[in-house]
Amino acid sequence: MARIQPIDPAAAPDEIRTVLENLPRLNIFGTLAHAETAFRPFLRFGGAVLDEMALDPVVRELAILTVAKEAEAEYEWVQHVAIGKELGVTNEQVAALAEADSCSSEGADERIAAAGDGQLFDQPQRAAIELAAAVVNGPRISADLYDCVKAQFTEREIVELLLAIGEYLMLARVMTVLEVDLDEGGGDAVLRGLRDRSADRA
């Protein structure tokens, strides 16, 4: 059972209730809503990560799934499998990420190659997976790994990738420390909501 129960929108302050009523009914949102003054800014940042970056969205989702796997955040994994599939992540890629053993702060690239057939991930995807695993497991990365990342991404994309990894590592720890109760995969509804709002602004 969750250590902190999600806020019931009906019992929330007006501003928080309005926000929650416009989001999918997911336990993570109800939990984050306890941080009343940080909730809306966090959602704006999360929207930018999911909808406004130059970084390829499939690369982003593979990195986030790697964070979920390495951080042992099952809730995050379930939600981002749904988002990833909406964006084009394949069942085979998900299965390979799920099978890769967690070990050292680097080496995800080799683990992914061993879990799949060596052809499931292109070079940018493998670099992002390796970076995400290293960031979760240690404060620094090797020069060799950075050179690998630098060869695949622009400076903007590298910073965006680190922001995505950092956001979802933070969320993973909210989920694991507070033992947020699992929801069925509904993260793809968040993505569709962002798209609808973008279309309304156009």
Side-chain angles (χ1 to χ4, degrees), residues 73-168:
E74 184 181 4
Y75 189 106
E76 189 165 80
W77 175 270
V78 168
Q79 299 306 321
H80 281 270
V81 165
I83 291 175
K85 288 183 178 180
E86 179 85 5
L87 293 168
V89 174
T90 67
N91 290 331
E92 292 77 14
Q93 287 175 323
V94 171
L97 286 172
E99 290 171 13
D101 292 329
S102 299
C103 55
S104 65
S105 62
E106 293 186 23
D109 200 41
E110 290 76 14
R111 300 201 304 273
I112 289 303
D117 61 6
Q119 307 299 316
L120 288 177
F121 303 94
D122 63 24
Q123 287 303 311
Q125 292 169 351
R126 288 171 68 133
I129 290 165
E130 176 79 5
L131 179 64
V135 168
V136 173
N137 288 292
R140 293 175 181 82
I141 66 170
S142 68
D144 286 347
L145 175 53
Y146 185 72
D147 287 344
C148 174
V149 171
K150 188 177 178 181
Q152 301 301 328
F153 302 108
T154 66
E155 290 180 345
R156 173 179 176 171
E157 289 169 333
I158 291 170
V159 174
E160 289 181 343
L161 184 53
L162 286 166
L163 288 175
I165 292 166
E167 180 192 8
Y168 283 92

Side-chain angles (χ1 to χ4, degrees), residues 5 14-15 42 62 70 89 95 138 156 161 171 176 190 199:
Q5 289 301 308
D14 289 347
E15 185 176 1
F42 170 79
L62 292 172
E70 297 287 311
V89 174
R156 173 179 176 171
L161 184 53
L171 276 172
T176 59
V190 176

Side-chain angles (χ1 to χ4, degrees), residues 19 22-24 43 47 51 189-202:
V19 175
N22 285 286
L23 292 168
L43 292 174
D51 195 47
V190 176
L191 197 64
R192 289 192 294 273
L194 288 168
R195 288 174 179 161
D196 290 346
R197 285 191 287 277
S198 293
D200 290 343
R201 291 193 298 268

